[in-house]
């Protein structure tokens, strides 16, 4: 019998083209470390800890969290959206978050950052993801397996989309290709102007009346499509609620070609459609604006997360932070107030566009088998491969040799596409904030989990706020732990003011947490939890001292993106540039 490990073919390194990105992933854990039993919430327990952690935060890079709109600004925003003036720039408040004129980091932002890190280091459930279907279109993709998947499903026909009451249906009809120049002439003769992503009604070709459908601006494009008006409207193809929901959930579709919104204005809209069976054997219909339209994968994002990481089992993060159904949290994040800092000027940052989860060569685990004959055999979202895990952003040195910020958009780009750019007014690096995290009835292990993710190893720092892909938001956190003597508080009059004491030894709490996790994952001999393979990747992503070059943490150019380049592991990225061995 053959040895599967021995016979497994590994892809040649030279055959794999690696990608780069502002982000990378911390892998999903193989098992869940369970929470300790929850305490009763009607009292303070003497064997548990209550108090607060005082935080001082220093910005190592410019920092930005968008301010909210006040009533007057919100009215201006609504007025701007209604008017069709020449200024197409979106209305927003570029200031840093400052309710009541006091600059601060909202506690909710800090809470989200801390909770994510606690989930990772405590081997918790993969809590927060949107279990939706993703969409794809592939008739010339370099991934052969994806092309085959698309061809298997897409058998395009033409029809007219209609709606009666709450029900949608398609009336089938015929269509034909027409040359682009002929389409332009027919549209001009009808007194209309040719434009991309448009539908033109009342067009006649050789006595037949119908619609001309124009798709996007593609350089090699030679044809548009003529969809005939149906002679028999009795034959219909009903659309299920799932079909409509799938269409609505495609967020990558351009707003100007939303057929359902078009149907709100018109009684009927031409479309292309394809009938297929889903993985449960149900008859389904996918539809779209162009002949080769985007269709949903059979599997959802949740199908790529192991069931055990979604099971109803209380983990440490949920025990500490609470949930909406069974219990409230025992940690409370107050806003961090500015104690020192100054604004930068207002800037237009580069567009924060990025590869979305549909980029399976980044977001899915690719096995050695998938990497053989790269990129033809890459796994996609109809495969069983797991998602890569928790997405984090690299820290960056975002200045050039002259000290200019690399994340600021070029003036000519903003002038050319004003509606695509926002304006921000960040705080300069060196800004400092102060605030506290209160906690009640935490065990030494739970308190240790919070301290473990706040007091990072030497050379590591946190990331918070907007613009993380561009290099904003790197912060250094210093902590002081104050514990309450609950017994003294209730035994002595006025002891509320002196029942809190500074605890200098936080290591004992972090050690209790580490020992608890290491025991449950079977790694008790490991000296530190940071030596664990998963947490080594986290440490790499949090490192301020070992960072990849700025140019190699930008978004991939379109041509390279089309090559379906695979995103390497965090350590591989640093090895590529000789930062670590």
């Amino acid at each position: 019998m053959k040895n599967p490990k021995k016979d497994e073919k590994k892809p040649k390194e030279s055959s794999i083209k690696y990608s780069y990105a502002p982000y990378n992933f911390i892998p999903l854990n193989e098992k869940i470390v369970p929470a300790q039993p929850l305490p009763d919430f009607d009292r303070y327990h003497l064997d548990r800890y209550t108090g607060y952690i005082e935080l001082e935060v220093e910005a190592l890079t410019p920092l930005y969290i968008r301010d909210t709109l006040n009533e007057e600004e919100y009215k201006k925003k609504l007025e701007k959206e209604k008017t069709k003036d020449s200024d197409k720039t979106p209305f927003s408040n570029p200031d840093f978050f400052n309710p009541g004129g006091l600059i601060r980091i909202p506690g909710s932002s800090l809470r989200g950052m801390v909770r994510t890190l606690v989930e990772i280091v405590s081997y918790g459930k993969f809590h927060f993801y949107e279990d939706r279907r993703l969409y794809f279109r592939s008739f010339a993709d370099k991934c052969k397996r994806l092309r085959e998947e698309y061809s298997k499903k897409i058998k395009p026909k033409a029809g007219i989309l209609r709606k009666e009451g709450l029900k949608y249906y398609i009336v089938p009809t015929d269509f034909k290709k027409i040359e682009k120049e002929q389409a332009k002439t027919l549209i001009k003769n009808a007194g209309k102007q040719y434009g991309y992503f448009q539908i033109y009604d009342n067009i006649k070709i050789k006595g037949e009346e119908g619609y001309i459908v124009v798709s996007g601006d593609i350089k090699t494009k030679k044809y548009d499509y003529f969809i005939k008006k149906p002679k028999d409207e009795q034959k219909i193809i009903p659309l299920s609620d799932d079909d409509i929901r799938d269409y609505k959930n495609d967020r990558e579709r351009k707003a100007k070609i939303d057929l359902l919104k078009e149907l709100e204005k018109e009684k009927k809209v031409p479309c292309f459609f394809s009938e297929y069976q889903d993985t449960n054997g149900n008859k389904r219909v996918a539809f779209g604006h162009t002949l080769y339209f985007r269709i949903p994968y059979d599997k959802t994002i949740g199908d790529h997360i192991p069931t055990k990481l979604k099971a109803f089992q209380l983990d440490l993060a949920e025990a500490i932070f609470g949930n909406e159904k069974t219990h409230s949290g025992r940690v409370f994040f107050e806003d961090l107030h500015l104690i020192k800092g100054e604004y930068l000027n207002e800037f237009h940052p580069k567009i924060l566009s990025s590869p979305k989860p549909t980029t399976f060569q980044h977001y899915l685990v690719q096995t050695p088998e998938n990497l053989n004959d790269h990129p033809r055999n890459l796994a996609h979202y109809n495969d069983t491969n797991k998602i890569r895990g928790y997405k984090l952003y690299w820290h960056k040195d975002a200045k050039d040799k002259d000290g200019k910020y690399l994340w600021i958009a070029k003036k000519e780009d903003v002038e050319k596409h004003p509606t695509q750019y926002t304006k921000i007014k960040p705080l300069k690096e060196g800004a400092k904030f102060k605030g506290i995290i209160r906690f009640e009835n935490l065990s030494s292990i739970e308190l240790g989990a919070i301290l473990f993710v706040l007091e990072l190893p030497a050379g590591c720092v946190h990331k918070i706020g907007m613009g993380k892909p561009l290099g904003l938001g790197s912060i250094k956190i210093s902590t002081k732990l104050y514990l309450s003597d609950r017994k003294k508080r209730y035994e002595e009059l006025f002891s509320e003011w002196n029942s809190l004491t500074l605890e200098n030894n936080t290591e004992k709490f972090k050690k209790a947490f580490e020992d608890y996790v290491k025991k449950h994952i079977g790694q008790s001999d490991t000296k530190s939890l940071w030596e664990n393979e998963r947490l080594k990747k986290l440490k790499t992503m949090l490192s301020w001292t070992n960072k990849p070059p700025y140019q190699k943490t930008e978004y991939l150019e379109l041509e390279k993106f089309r090559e379906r380049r695979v995103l390497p592991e965090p350590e591989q990225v640093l090895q590529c540039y000789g930062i670590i061995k």
Side-chain angles (χ1 to χ4, degrees):
M1 183 176 177
K2 292 183 178 181
N3 184 332
K5 288 188 178 179
K6 185 178 178 181
D7 295 331
E8 185 183 79
K9 291 184 179 179
K10 292 187 177 180
K12 295 178 182 178
E13 284 292 319
S14 59
S15 70
I16 304 171
K17 292 182 179 178
Y18 284 115
S19 180
Y20 51 81
Y23 55 82
N24 213 295
F25 297 89
I26 312 304
L28 297 175
N29 34 297
E30 295 297 325
K31 59 174 70 174
I32 296 174
V33 172
Q36 297 173 287
L38 291 174
D40 294 328
F41 284 75
D42 59 352
R43 74 198 72 173
Y44 288 101
H45 298 264
L46 295 179
D47 60 342
R48 288 178 173 265
Y49 297 90
T50 296
Y52 67 83
I53 303 168
E54 184 179 88
L55 305 178
E56 185 170 301
V57 171
E58 180 184 0
L60 302 180
T61 64
L63 179 65
Y64 184 69
I65 297 171
R66 189 178 291 284
D67 194 18
T68 54
L69 298 181
N70 59 34
E71 186 176 353
E72 184 180 341
E73 289 168 334
Y74 185 68
K75 286 180 180 176
K76 286 182 180 178
K77 180 177 183 292
L78 293 179
E79 287 171 7
K80 186 173 179 64
E81 288 172 352
K82 288 177 184 177
T83 59
K84 296 182 179 179
D85 54 24
S86 57
D87 181 11
K88 300 295 184 182
T89 54
F91 182 89
S92 64
N93 182 353
D95 287 345
F96 196 95
F97 186 74
N98 69 113
L102 297 173
I103 297 172
R104 64 188 81 177
I105 296 174
S108 57
S109 296
L110 182 65
R111 177 188 174 93
M113 181 196 78
V114 172
R115 171 152 189 169
T116 297
L117 291 175
V118 169
E119 283 182 16
I120 295 171
V121 302
S122 68
Y123 278 65
K125 292 184 289 186
F126 193 71
H127 279 274
F128 299 107
Y129 65 94
E130 191 176 6
D131 192 13
R132 63 186 178 96
R133 294 185 197 282
L134 300 173
Y135 297 75
F136 70 106
R137 175 174 59 186
S138 178
F139 48 88
D141 200 281
K142 289 185 179 291
C143 178
K144 179 186 175 186
R145 295 183 69 253
L146 190 69
R147 293 200 309 271
E148 291 173 345
E149 190 74 15
Y150 189 75
S151 299
K152 186 169 66 178
K153 277 191 173 182
I154 195 80
K155 309 293 181 189
K157 306 172 187 175
I160 307 299
L161 181 63
R162 300 287 301 269
K163 183 183 180 184
E164 284 188 9
L166 298 176
K167 296 296 181 183
Y168 294 85
Y169 62 90
I170 292 173
V171 181
T173 186
D174 297 323
F175 75 96
K176 64 180 179 181
K177 288 194 296 187
I178 57 173
E179 291 187 355
K180 183 177 176 180
E181 294 306 314
Q182 182 188 2
K184 285 184 176 182
T185 302
L186 289 166
I187 290 167
K188 184 179 179 181
N189 291 343
K192 299 171 184 177
Q193 187 174 355
Y194 183 91
Y196 297 106
F197 294 117
Q198 297 291 331
I199 297 171
Y200 299 92
D201 195 359
N202 300 319
I203 304 292
K204 287 187 177 180
I205 298 180
K206 295 181 180 180
E208 291 185 307
E209 191 174 358
Y211 307 83
I212 287 181
V213 176
V214 179
S215 57
D217 181 12
I218 303 171
K219 291 180 181 179
T220 57
K221 178 179 167 182
K222 296 179 180 178
Y223 300 100
D224 290 311
Y225 295 93
F226 178 72
I227 297 180
K228 300 175 185 177
K229 291 193 174 178
K231 296 175 181 177
D232 179 11
E233 296 208 6
Q234 299 304 310
K235 183 182 177 182
I236 64 169
I237 296 172
L239 301 177
S240 68
D241 292 342
D242 288 336
D243 296 332
I244 298 299
R245 182 168 54 249
D246 278 351
Y247 184 85
K248 288 180 177 179
N249 285 342
D250 185 3
R251 296 175 188 169
E252 308 307 314
R253 184 189 305 109
K254 295 182 183 296
K256 63 170 67 175
I257 54 170
D258 190 320
L259 294 177
L260 298 184
K261 287 184 179 179
E262 195 67 26
L263 195 59
E264 291 173 6
K265 298 182 288 184
E266 307 289 341
K267 291 184 178 180
K268 54 183 78 172
V269 177
C271 69
F272 293 94
F273 69 96
S274 185
E275 298 173 90
Y276 69 99
Q277 275 193 343
D278 64 19
T279 50
N280 296 318
N282 300 316
K283 289 184 178 180
R284 299 293 304 278
V285 180
F287 60 97
H289 172 77
T290 59
L291 184 67
Y292 295 107
F293 52 87
R294 294 161 57 80
I295 60 175
Y297 286 101
D298 290 333
K299 296 181 186 296
T300 66
I301 293 174
D303 291 330
H304 298 273
I305 299 169
T307 306
K308 58 190 172 186
L309 295 184
K310 300 182 287 183
F312 182 76
Q313 178 181 357
L314 196 64
D315 61 11
L316 277 169
E318 196 170 19
I320 295 168
F321 289 86
N323 61 38
E324 296 177 352
K325 296 180 180 178
T326 60
H327 65 281
S328 58
R330 288 170 286 140
V331 286
F332 313 96
F333 292 76
E334 298 188 4
D335 291 349
L336 300 165
H337 291 266
L338 183 72
I339 56 174
K340 172 191 171 185
E342 56 185 286
Y343 275 123
L344 289 171
N345 294 328
E346 288 185 5
F347 294 108
H348 288 100
K350 291 179 180 178
I351 296 173
L352 287 170
S353 60
S354 67
K356 305 296 189 292
T358 47
T359 312
F360 51 77
Q361 68 271 24
H362 284 199
Y363 282 77
L364 285 182
V365 172
Q366 300 291 341
T367 66
E369 181 184 17
N370 299 134
L371 294 176
N372 273 320
D373 197 14
H374 174 272
R376 291 161 60 85
N377 288 324
L378 289 173
H380 52 68
Y381 279 98
N382 273 352
D383 291 310
T384 58
N385 298 49
K386 293 188 298 185
I387 61 169
R388 290 281 294 269
Y390 295 86
K391 181 180 177 182
L392 297 181
Y393 290 91
W394 293 102
H395 293 294
K396 294 187 178 188
D397 288 322
K399 286 184 176 180
D400 63 17
K401 61 182 180 180
D402 299 320
K404 294 181 179 178
Y405 295 115
L406 296 167
W407 45 266
I408 298 174
K410 294 178 181 178
K411 185 179 178 181
E412 55 267 30
D413 292 339
V414 177
E415 290 173 348
K416 190 175 180 181
H417 304 287
T419 60
Q420 296 180 23
Y421 287 87
T422 187
K423 189 178 281 189
I424 65 173
K425 192 177 181 181
L427 290 171
K428 193 175 181 181
E429 56 265 44
K432 289 187 177 180
F433 295 80
K434 212 165 190 179
I436 61 175
I437 302 172
R438 299 186 183 277
F439 57 88
E440 295 178 349
N441 279 337
L442 294 184
S443 69
S444 59
I445 290 166
E446 293 167 335
L447 178 55
I450 301 291
L451 292 168
F452 187 84
V453 301
L454 288 173
E455 300 177 354
L456 298 175
C460 293
V461 297
H462 297 85
K463 235 178 189 319
I464 200 169
M466 285 180 60
K468 289 191 283 289
L470 298 176
L472 281 70
S474 295
I475 58 171
K476 181 181 179 180
I477 297 179
S478 303
T479 65
K480 287 182 181 178
L481 173 63
Y482 291 87
L483 297 177
S484 172
D485 186 338
R486 306 307 297 185
K487 189 172 185 292
K488 181 180 178 182
R489 176 180 174 180
Y490 290 111
E491 286 181 347
E492 297 180 15
L493 186 64
F494 304 124
S495 67
E496 175 68 23
W497 291 280
N498 59 12
S499 64
L500 284 163
T501 56
L502 176 64
E503 174 59 64
N504 292 312
N505 182 14
T506 60
E507 293 301 319
K508 63 182 181 183
F509 297 106
K510 291 190 286 185
K511 186 176 186 308
F513 164 71
E514 288 189 74
D515 290 345
Y516 183 81
V517 174
K518 288 190 295 182
K519 178 183 175 182
H520 279 86
I521 64 175
Q523 294 184 10
S524 295
D525 329 354
T526 313
K527 186 177 178 181
S528 168
L529 193 56
W530 287 109
E531 294 176 8
N532 170 274
E533 285 305 312
R534 280 185 70 243
L535 266 59
K536 279 182 183 177
K537 299 181 193 305
L538 175 61
K539 190 176 176 181
T540 299
M541 292 302 299
L542 296 176
S543 177
W544 176 251
T545 52
N546 290 326
K547 302 185 288 291
Y550 182 87
Q551 292 78 9
K552 297 303 179 183
T553 54
E554 292 189 290
Y555 288 115
L556 205 66
E557 298 92 339
L558 184 59
E559 286 307 311
K560 292 181 181 177
F561 173 76
R562 286 173 175 159
E563 293 175 358
R564 294 287 184 187
R565 297 187 171 207
V566 177
L567 193 66
E569 299 284 340
E571 299 96 322
Q572 287 179 294
V573 174
L574 297 187
Q575 288 166 359
C576 284
Y577 305 110
I579 297 168
I580 62 172
K581 293 182 180 180

